[in-house]
C-alpha cells in the first residue's frame, strides 16, 4: 500500500510551524546592524567627518546581492525546469525552500559568526550570506529532484542549513580559510551532501518513471533561462562578499574569464563525445557553468586571467566527461541517482576549485600582492602563517567540508527515509501532478484529437 | 451586430496623436535637471569642493531604477501570460501602455510636484517615479485583462496616470504622508481603480469565453518568470526613492523578510484550501508577492525584521484566502470580473500596508530612531506633528486614496464603455487572435493530425 | 552530394585550438590594470589621500556591465528564439560565439588601444568593451541565423572581431569620433557586415525550408524575453562607457525616452501596415528597439528628452516600414536573405543614429554645455576643432564604418563560402536537429495520436 502523497495537512502544518518559530526567534534575536538602524547609522555618521550616506554598505553590496538573488531564484529555479512535467515543482519548490532557507540561514549563520551582545545583526551582507547558504541547499535539491515531497525538502533544508553554518564557521573562523565564492562551503558541501542523501533514498524501481525523467523541446529552453542567468551573474556571486576595492573587482573579472573558457571547452567536448557530433543540451545547460564553481576560492587571489581561463577550461572538460561517462557509473555501481548531475557541475568542479585555491594561496607572495596582501590574506601578511601553511589550511578545509557533507548527508538521508513525508511513489516521480493542480494542455489537445478521430471514423463508417 | 475590432485606423491614430502631443509638451516643458545637464552639473561640481562625479545621483539610484524597470516590463508583463492564448497581448499591451504611461507620468508628476521656474526637471528620480505610476496602471490592467482593446487601455492610462498624479500630490505634498513603496499611492489606488473599471465594464455573458480564461502548462511557467522577478526585485522597488543611507538599506531588508515569510504562508494556505492538498499555481504566482505590497508604506520605518515577517505572513494568508473564497463572491454578487485577482494581490494587501504604515508611524519615537528620525519623519522631528497625528494623517491618506480610486475608476469606466474602442466580443475575450497576427501551432498540428487520420482511414477503407 | 554536417571533429578541434591560442596570448600579453591588481591598486590608494576603496571603478561600471552582459546573452540569445525549431541553436550558438568573441575582443581591442608597455591591461571597462564588440558579431549572426554551422560562426567571429577593433581604432583614436553607444561602431558595422556575408552565402533554394523559417506561439513568447531585456537595459548599454557624472546619467535618460517613443511608433505602424489592423510580433520584437540604436551616438550629447523622442519615433517608424516593404525587396532583388531583419533593426537605425550624432555634434556650443563641454567633446573644448568640423568627422566616421563593414563582410563571406564548415543543406536550414540532440515533443505526441488513430480504426473495422 503506497503512502499517501496528500499534502493538505503536512505541508501547511510544517510551513506554519516553521514560520512561527522563525518569527519568534527573529523577534528575540535579530536586530538591525549599524548600516540599517536609524539610530546607530546616524550617530556613527555624525561622529565621523568622512562618512556620509553615500558610503552606506548598501551601495557597494546591494547590486551584487540582487545578482546573487537572481541566481538563487531564477537561476537555480529555471535550470531545473528541463524535466518535461516537473516545471511547477522545479520553480515552485525551489522558491519555497529558498524562502525558508534564507530566513533559517540568517539565524544559523548569525548564531555562529554574527552575534553582538547576544543579538544577531543583519544587513545586506547577512542577506548575501543567507542566499549563499540557500544556494547550497538548492544544489542538494538538484540531486533529489523529482523524487521528494516538499515536506521532505523543507526537512532537508533545516538540517543542511544548520550543518552548512557549522562547516562555514569551522572553515572561515577556525581554520581562517579563504573561500569567497564558496567552492568548498557552498558547492562541494552542497554537492556531496546531496549525493549522500540521494544515495540513502535510493529507489531501485525508479525506471518506472524513466520516460518522465527527460526533457522536451520547450522545457530545455526554459532551463536555458536558468543557465544563462547563472552564467552571467556568477562573477557577482564569487565577488559579492570579498573585500572592497581591488579584490572585488578582480574576483568578478577572473570569474568572467573562467566562464568564457569553460564554455568553449563545454561545446568542444559535448560534440566530441557524441557519435554524430551533436551537441547535448544537458552539457550546455550545466557544464558551461563549472568554470564559475572552479574559481570560487581562488577568484579573489592574483590568479590572473590566464590562470582563470586554464581553470575554466579544465572545469568544463571534467564536467562534460562526468556527465557522459561518470554519472551512469555512479548510478549503476554506487546507486547514486543524481537527477541534475550535481556531481559534475558542483561536486568535481568544487573540489577542483578548492585545490586551485590551496595552490594559489600557497604561491602568494608580497612581491605579487604588495600592500594588497593584507586584503586577501590577512593572516599571511601579519606573519601568522606563511603562504605554504596557508595553502595547507585550505587543503584541510576541503577535507573538513567533505567530511561534514558526507556525515551530514547520511544523517539527513536517514531522517528523510522515514515514510511520513508523503514522498511520491516510484511510478509518479518527475511528475508535477502529484503535488500541483496541473492545467490541461497535452490532455486537452489529446481529447480534441480523439474527438476528431472519432468523427472521421464515424463519418466514414456511416 | 458586433462592433468591429479592426485596429487599423484607431490604434495608429491614437498612438501617433498621443506621441506627437507628448513630444510637443516635452519640448515646451521638460529640461535636464542639475544631475543630467552638462552645464548645471559641472558648475555645481566646480563650486563644491566635496562634490565629485562619483556622487552623481545616477550611481545611487540607477541600479534601483533598473530593478524597478524589470518589474514593470518583465514582472508585470510575464505575470499576466498565464492565460493560454493571451501571451502576446499580456506582454505586448503591457509594453505599449507602460511605454506610453511613463512618458505621460513624467509630465503629470512633474506638473504637480516637479516644476522649477515653469519647467519640469528630469533625472533618474523622475524616471523611477514615472515607472511607479506606470505600475499602478498595470495593476488596473490586470483587472480588465483579456476584455479590452489596446485603444481602451491607452485611454484608461491617460486618465489613470492623471488621477494618480493628483492623488500622489495630495498624499505626499499636502498630507505629508510617507509611502515610499506605494502601498497606498500605487497598489491601493491601482487596484480599486481597476476594480471599479472592470465593474463598469461588466460582461454578463463572459462565460462564452470561459474555456480560454485559464492557463496551460507552459503559460504557467512563463507567468512564473514574471512572479519571480517581481518577488526578487520588490526590495528595490520599495527602497528606490527613500532617503539615502539607512532608510534605503533598511527598506530593502524589511521587504526581503516580508516576502520570505509571505512565501511560506502562501504555500501553506494554498495546500490547505485544496481538498487533495495540491498547490495552486494562481496562489504561488500572486499571493507570494503580497508581502511586498504590504510593507510598501512601513518598509522604510523601524519595522524590524520581526515586524516585517509578521506583516508578510498575514499578507500571504489574506491573499490566498481572497483568491479562494472572496474572488468568486466578488464576481457573482458584485459583478466584479477581476481577471488576475488584483484585489487579492494589490487591493487587500495594499490596505493592510497602509494600516501597518499608520500604526508604525504612530509608534515612532526619538528613542528608536535617534537622529535618524528626521530622515524618515521630518515633520515629526521638527515637532510640527506628534507621532499620533502623523499616524492619523497616514490613515486619512488611505481614505483619500480609496475615494480617488473609486471615483476615478467610475468616471474612467464610463468613458471606456463607449462603443468606439473596438473591444472584443464576449466570445473572443482572452484571445490574442483578435488583435494580433498569431502563428499556427496547435492549428498546424491539428491539421497534421487530421491529415494523418484521414490517411489512416482511407488506407483502411481502400 | 551534400556536405556532411557532422561536427564531431570540426567543432571540438576549432574550439580547443582557439581556446588554447587565447590562453597562450592571455598569458603573454594580459595583465590586471590599476584597479584590479592587488599591488598597483593599493599603492595608488595609499599615495592618494582622497582615493579609497569605494572609488574603485568597479562600483561605477560593474552594474552597467552586468546590464550589458544580460543584453548580450539573454537579449540577443532569446530574441532569436522566435524560430519554431531553432531555439537551441539561437541561444546556444549565441552563447558559444559570445563566449569566444569576448575573449578575442579583449585581445584585439587591447592590441589597438589598450597597450601599456607591451601589455594589455584589463578591468571592468575592457569587459564592457569586449561585450560591445561581441554585440556586433551577434548582430551579424542575426542575418545568417539558421543557415550556418557553429564552425562557420566561429570563423566569422574571428574576422569580424578583428575588423571591428580596427574600425573602432580608426573612429575613436584617429578620427576622434564620439560613439559611446555604438550607433556606428557596433550597429552599423555589425549590420552591414552581416548583410554582405549573407549576400555572399546566398542560397537560391532556401524556400525548401521555408516552412521552418517562421515562429510558433511559444517561440514568439521566448523571443519577447529577449526583446524586453534589450529594451529595458539599452539605457545601460549606451551609457556604459561614457564619462562619469552628467554624461552617463544623461545618456541613460535620453535612451529611455527614445525607446519609449519608439515603442508607440512601432505599435502604430505595425497596425497600420496590416490590412486587418493586426499587430505583428516581428515588428514588436524588433522595431521597438530601434530607438536604442538610433541614439547610440548622440545619447551622451545634450540631445534633450524632446530630441530623443523625435529620434526614437523616427527610428521605430523606419524600422517597421523596413520590415514590411524593404526586406522583401532586399531578398528578391538583391538576394540578401536577412533572417532577423537586422537591416531594419540595426542597419537603418544605426545610420540614422550616426547622422543624428553628427548633427548634434555640429550644434554643440559652450553656451549649452558650459564647463561640461570638455566632458563630451574634449577636442572641441580645447579649440582643436570647431563644432562643425567635429560634425564633419562624425560623418566621415560613418562612411569609414560602412566601407569597412562592406569590405570586411565580403572577404569574410567568401571565406565562409568554402565547403569545409559543415553548413546545413537547404532543406535543413532553421532546424536544430542538424547540430543538436533534440528531445521528442511534437514527435512523441504525434506517435501518441497515430497510435490512437490506429486503435480507433482497428476497433471499428473489427
Amino acid at each position: 500500500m503506497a503512502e499517501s502523497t496528500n499534502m493538505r495537512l503536512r505541508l501547511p502544518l510544517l510551513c506554519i510551524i516553521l514560520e512561527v518559530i522563525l518569527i519568534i526567534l527573529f523577534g528575540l534575536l535579530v536586530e538591525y546592524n549599524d548600516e540599517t538602524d536609524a539610530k546607530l547609522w546616524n550617530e556613527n555618521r555624525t561622529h565621523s567627518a568622512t562618512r556620509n550616506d553615500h558610503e552606506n554598505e548598501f551601495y557597494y553590496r546591494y547590486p551584487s546581492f540582487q545578482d546573487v538573488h537572481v541566481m538563487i531564484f531564477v537561476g537555480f529555479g529555471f535550470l531545473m525546469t528541463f524535466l518535461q512535467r516537473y516545471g511547477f515543482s522545479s520553480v515552485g519548490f525551489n522558491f519555497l525552500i529558498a524562502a525558508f532557507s534564507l530566513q533559517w540561514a540568517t539565524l544559523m549563520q548569525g548564531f555562529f559568526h554574527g552575534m553582538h551582545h547576544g543579538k544577531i545583526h543583519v544587513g545586506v551582507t547577512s542577506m548575501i550570506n543567507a542566499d549563499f547558504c540557500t544556494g547550497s541547499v538548492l544544489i542538494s535539491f538538484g540531486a533529489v529532484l523529482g523524487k521528494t515531497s516538499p515536506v521532505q525538502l523543507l526537512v532537508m533544508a533545516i538540517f543542511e542549513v544548520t550543518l552548512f553554518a557549522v562547516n562555514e564557521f569551522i572553515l572561515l573562523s577556525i581554520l581562517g580559510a579563504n573561500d569567497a565564492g564558496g567552492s568548498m562551503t557552498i558547492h562541494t558541501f552542497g554537492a556531496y551532501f546531496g549525493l549522500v542523501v540521494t544515495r540513502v533514498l535510493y529507489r531501485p524501481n525508479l525506471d518506472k518513471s524513466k520516460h518522465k525523467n527527460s526533457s522536451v523541446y520547450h522545457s530545455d529552453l526554459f532551463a536555458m533561462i536558468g543557465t544563462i542567468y547563472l552564467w552571467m551573474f556568477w562573477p557577482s556571486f564569487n565577488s559579492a562578499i570579498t573585500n572592497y576595492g581591488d579584490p572585488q573587482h578582480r574576483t568578478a573579472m577572473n570569474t568572467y574569464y573562467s566562464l568564457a573558457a569553460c564554455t568553449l571547452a563545454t561545446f568542444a567536448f559535448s560534440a566530441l563525445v557524441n557519435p554524430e557530433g551533436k551537441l547535448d543540451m544537458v552539457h550546455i545547460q550545466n557544464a558551461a557553468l563549472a568554470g564559475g564553481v572552479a574559481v570560487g576560492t581562488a577568484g579573489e587571489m592574483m590568479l590572473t586571467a590566464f590562470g582563470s581561463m586554464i581553470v575554466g577550461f579544465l572545469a568544463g572538460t571534467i564536467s562534460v566527461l562526468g556527465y557522459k561517462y561518470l554519472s551512469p557509473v555512479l548510478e549503476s555501481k554506487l546507486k547514486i541517482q543524481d537527477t541534475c548531475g550535481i556531481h559534475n557541475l558542483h561536486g568535481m568542479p568544487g573540489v577542483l576549485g578548492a585545490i586551485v585555491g590551496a595552490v594559489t594561496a600557497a604561491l602568494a607572495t608580497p612581491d605579487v600582492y604588495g600592500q594588497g596582501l593584507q586584503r586577501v590574506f590577512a593572516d599571511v601578511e601579519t606573519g601568522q602563517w606563511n603562504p605554504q601553511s596557508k595553502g595547507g589550511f585550505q587543503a584541510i578545509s576541503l577535507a573538513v567540508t567533505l567530511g561534514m557533507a558526507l556525515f551530514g548527508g547520511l544523517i539527513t538521508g536517514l531522517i528523510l527515509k522515514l515514510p511520513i513525508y508523503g514522498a511520491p511513489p516510484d511510478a509518479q516521480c518527475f511528475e508535477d501532478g502529484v503535488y500541483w493542480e496541473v492545467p490541461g494542455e497535452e490532455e486537452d489537445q489529446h481529447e480534441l484529437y480523439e474527438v476528431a478521430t472519432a468523427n472521421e471514423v464515424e463519418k466514414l463508417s456511416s
Side-chain angles (χ1 to χ4, degrees), chain A residues 221-252:
Chain A
L221 276 180
F222 277 111
M224 279 304 283
I225 297 175
T227 297
I228 299 284
Y229 271 101
L230 288 169
W231 195 92
M232 293 185 304
F233 288 167
W234 217 294
S236 304
F237 188 94
N238 283 348
S239 67
I241 53 159
T242 56
N243 274 321
Y244 289 144
D246 64 291
Q248 192 164 10
H249 197 161
R250 185 169 58 244
T251 310

Side-chain angles (χ1 to χ4, degrees), chain A residues 17-256:
Chain A
I17 290 173
L18 286 177
E19 191 60 47
V20 168
I21 292 173
L22 284 169
I23 290 176
I24 293 171
L25 290 175
F26 265 76
L28 294 174
L29 292 172
V30 173
E31 278 183 354
Y32 292 125
N33 71 5
D34 289 11
E35 313 267 326
T36 44
D37 188 273
K39 196 171 182 176
L40 296 176
W41 170 257
N42 288 283
E43 266 169 19
N44 293 342
R45 198 170 58 96
T46 322
H47 291 167
S48 149
T50 59
R51 195 95 200 270
N52 67 43
D53 280 327
H54 286 126
E55 296 187 29
N56 192 291
E57 196 186 16
F58 180 80
Y59 302 104
Y60 302 91
R61 295 281 185 217
Y62 187 75
S64 302
F65 162 71
Q66 275 298 1
D67 289 353
V68 172
H69 219 39
V70 170
M71 292 174 73
I72 296 296
F73 289 89
V74 169
F76 280 105
F78 278 89
L79 181 59
M80 297 191 275
T81 57
F82 72 97
L83 292 171
Q84 53 184 288
R85 292 293 290 179
Y86 209 63
F88 290 10
S89 305
S90 296
V91 178
F93 294 163
N94 186 84
F95 191 18
L96 172 64
I97 59 178
F100 164 70
S101 297
L102 63 87
Q103 297 177 76
W104 184 233
T106 304
L107 291 174
M108 286 297 107
Q109 294 178 312
F111 184 72
F112 282 109
H113 43 88
M115 296 295 273
H116 302 263
H117 309 293
K119 296 285 184 177
I120 293 165
H121 282 200
V122 292
V124 68
T125 304
S126 74
M127 289 159 70
I128 295 172
N129 278 317
D131 267 27
F132 275 4
C133 177
T134 299
S136 202
V137 178
L138 299 178
I139 290 167
S140 303
F141 177 32
V144 299
L145 187 77
K147 303 170 295 187
T148 37
S149 78
V151 169
Q152 247 173 330
L153 294 170
L154 283 170
V155 172
M156 183 178 85
I158 296 171
F159 289 97
E160 184 164 2
V161 165
T162 311
L163 289 162
F164 176 97
V166 173
N167 185 57
E168 190 186 38
F169 174 70
I170 296 173
L171 263 63
L172 305 189
S173 302
I174 299 184
L175 297 172
N178 282 42
D179 197 18
S183 288
M184 295 181 284
T185 54
I186 303 169
H187 299 287
T188 304
F189 181 81
Y192 289 96
F193 187 101
L195 290 168
V196 177
V197 169
T198 199
R199 173 63 191 81
V200 177
L201 299 180
Y202 178 65
R203 289 170 180 260
N205 300 314
L206 192 58
D207 55 352
K208 281 188 187 170
S209 52
K210 201 181 178 180
H211 60 292
K212 285 178 196 154
N213 186 4
S214 63
S215 65
V216 290
Y217 194 70
H218 281 126
S219 70
D220 268 327
L221 276 180
F222 277 111
M224 279 304 283
I225 297 175
T227 297
I228 299 284
Y229 271 101
L230 288 169
W231 195 92
M232 293 185 304
F233 288 167
W234 217 294
S236 304
F237 188 94
N238 283 348
S239 67
I241 53 159
T242 56
N243 274 321
Y244 289 144
D246 64 291
Q248 192 164 10
H249 197 161
R250 185 169 58 244
T251 310
M253 195 166 65
N254 286 339
T255 308
Y256 163 89

